[in-house]
Amino acid sequence: MTKPDAGSATATAFWRSVGVVLSGSVIAQAIPLIGSLVIARVYAPAEFGLFSAWLGMVMLAAVVVTARFEMALAVEADGAPRTVAVVATLAMVVLVGSLLALVAGLLYWSGSLPGELALWMVVWWAPAAALVGVTHTWQAWAAADGSYRHLSSIRIAQAVVLTVAQIAAGLVAPTAQALALGHVLGLMGGIAVAALVMPLRLSAASRRTMGWVDFTLFWRRQRRFPLFALPADAINSAAGQIPLLLIATRFGAEASGLYALTLRVLGAPIGLLGAAVLDVFKRNAAVSYRNKGHCRDEYLRTFWLLAVGALLLVVGVVVLADRVFVVAFGEPWRRAGTIAVWLVPMFAMRFVASPLSYVFYIAGKQHVDLIWQCALLSVTLWAFLSAANFKEAVLFYSAGYAALYVVYALMSYRFSRGRP
């Protein structure tokens, strides 16, 4: 009898895991996507643009509250070391989130913040960022443990609560504040489900002995994440959110709202599908790198999956974007479909390169990633500050991003081959 090929069995297990995460991610993304059909008719573009600006500030702070230690969970060994890492990361979220809330309150009451910021935007900012940090930590833990079904359950629950809450709040008061309230409730729902399906169980001995010494040892061992990955990801988040702020400032709230809806309908599903692949890739790649000194096979396997998906994305957006936005959201949102076509080079290359960039963390090349992120921020600022009009700005932005993502993919492949 012929023995089954070990490589084939590994590949089958990989695809099965990707399928589990992708199916959950598709459901989780389909819910807010369907909800957008209602939300686009309940909220005006200007309100959606204001909410998106606030959400951008929240997501930027969410990168800071974890100090990116959640990205180190897959690198930690299974079992007790990872449990310590999870608790240490959650402790970091509480510490940094409390500090941000204190600073925001002091700045607001001293009059140091822009006067157009509403009180709710300041009060909800740090708590919302901390909730995002907790959600990211729990999801990273599930992915690092290979608990892909639990990961899908967490994401689906969050999508349901978030979408229902935003629609319900909009029916009462169709404002940016209502959208923000729905977002906060959605995060809480996701965390509640996470605590149910993946409770953080500690033995009696662990509860007695685990303390700041253990946390400090973990933080010190994985210090490259806050030293390099934190500023790199903060810059990446800023580069992703700056367009909304600059569009609103230079081209008006309506243009910002159209751009925001494009990101919600096109960018969010693409990002979530890419994250689903990453959730499987990072565990497989980290284990392979520890055992063999490289993860080239896992890299190439994942690359071809993403490349096929990117090709389908390009064809679908170019052919269908305009009519889909008009049919789904109405004539006032036609330009969002046009914006989607302008952005498709960036989205396609991001879909391929972003999940594979976890190799930078596995190989300890966070400092190289930081340099690349600085280049990305420079391109973003150049595109939106130097362009003469909205179309030119988006086209410059999309082309510059796509070119940098090609470089990103080439570097990550080089690092996947391991040390010479």
Side-chain angles (χ1 to χ4, degrees):
M1 180 182 293
T2 303
K3 294 183 179 181
D5 179 71
S8 176
T10 301
T12 301
F14 178 86
W15 292 119
R16 186 183 301 113
S17 298
V18 169
V20 171
V21 181
L22 281 177
S23 60
S25 298
V26 168
I27 296 172
Q29 192 54 49
I31 294 168
L33 196 58
I34 295 172
S36 296
L37 301 176
V38 179
I39 289 174
R41 287 168 168 77
V42 173
Y43 297 93
E47 294 294 336
F48 199 83
L50 181 60
F51 161 74
S52 299
W54 172 82
L55 184 60
M57 294 187 292
V58 169
M59 299 309 294
L60 182 59
V63 174
V64 178
V65 295
T66 63
R68 300 317 272 164
F69 281 120
E70 84 280 10
M71 300 299 292
L73 297 183
V75 179
E76 290 289 308
D78 293 346
R82 185 170 295 137
T83 302
V84 172
V86 171
V87 178
T89 304
L90 293 175
M92 180 62 67
V93 170
V94 174
L95 288 173
V96 180
S98 300
L99 179 62
L100 290 180
L102 177 62
V103 171
L106 291 175
L107 290 176
Y108 182 81
W109 295 114
S110 67
S112 301
L113 296 177
E116 60 268 19
L117 287 179
L119 179 60
W120 68 266
M121 299 178 76
V122 179
V123 171
W124 293 2
W125 173 64
L131 290 172
V132 174
V134 173
T135 300
H136 286 176
T137 300
W138 233 288
Q139 292 183 9
W141 177 29
D145 272 2
S147 302
Y148 302 123
R149 296 190 185 278
H150 290 159
L151 178 60
S152 296
S153 299
I154 295 169
R155 287 175 173 165
I156 292 171
Q158 181 174 302
V160 170
V161 178
L162 189 152
T163 303
V164 172
Q166 286 186 329
I167 293 174
L171 294 176
V172 176
T175 63
Q177 185 176 359
L179 277 167
L181 175 61
H183 191 82
V184 170
L185 292 176
L187 293 171
M188 291 180 175
I191 293 170
V193 172
L196 287 174
V197 301
M198 285 192 68
L200 191 58
R201 294 191 178 95
L202 299 175
S203 65
S206 297
R207 287 194 296 270
R208 287 194 302 267
T209 60
M210 186 182 298
W212 288 109
V213 174
D214 303 277
F215 300 163
T216 303
L217 288 174
F218 166 72
W219 293 335
R220 186 179 301 164
R221 184 170 64 252
Q222 301 295 353
R223 62 186 177 274
R224 293 179 70 87
F225 284 87
L227 286 176
F228 297 114
L230 175 58
D233 290 340
I235 291 171
N236 181 269
S237 182
Q241 302 303 330
I242 280 176
L244 285 168
L245 302 176
L246 292 181
I247 289 171
T249 302
R250 295 198 62 202
F251 308 114
E254 183 174 352
S256 178
L258 291 167
Y259 182 89
L261 184 68
T262 304
L263 294 185
R264 184 185 182 102
V265 174
L266 185 60
I270 293 170
L272 193 56
L273 291 173
V277 176
L278 169 62
D279 290 330
V280 180
F281 171 71
K282 64 184 178 183
R283 175 174 173 82
N284 285 268
V287 171
S288 177
Y289 204 92
R290 283 198 300 267
N291 295 337
K292 299 186 296 184
H294 70 87
C295 56
R296 178 179 176 275
D297 297 338
E298 289 75 12
Y299 182 99
L300 291 175
R301 184 187 306 132
T302 308
F303 171 82
W304 289 115
L305 167 69
L306 295 170
V308 171
L311 179 60
L312 295 175
L313 165 69
V314 171
V315 174
V317 170
V318 171
V319 173
L320 300 174
D322 276 358
R323 67 190 75 176
V324 166
F325 272 87
V326 172
V327 171
F329 304 111
E331 187 62 34
W333 296 94
R334 175 183 291 274
R335 286 189 66 204
T338 303
I339 295 170
V341 176
W342 296 344
L343 290 174
V344 74
M346 178 193 76
F347 281 127
M349 289 308 306
R350 176 190 290 174
F351 183 70
V352 174
S354 286
L356 298 172
S357 67
Y358 195 78
V359 172
F360 284 84
Y361 300 139
I362 297 173
K365 302 294 183 180
Q366 291 95 328
H367 60 290
V368 180
D369 182 52
L370 176 58
I371 296 172
W372 184 87
Q373 299 292 350
C374 290
L376 193 66
L377 179 61
S378 300
V379 168
T380 301
L381 292 172
W382 164 76
F384 285 98
L385 291 177
S386 65
N389 54 63
F390 176 61
K391 177 180 179 180
E392 186 176 279
V394 175
L395 289 175
F396 284 174
Y397 175 67
S398 180
Y401 247 59
L404 283 174
Y405 273 122
V406 171
V407 176
Y408 209 32
L410 291 173
M411 288 193 299
S412 60
Y413 173 67
R414 167 65 184 85
F415 296 143
S416 75
R417 293 158 57 188
R419 299 179 180 87

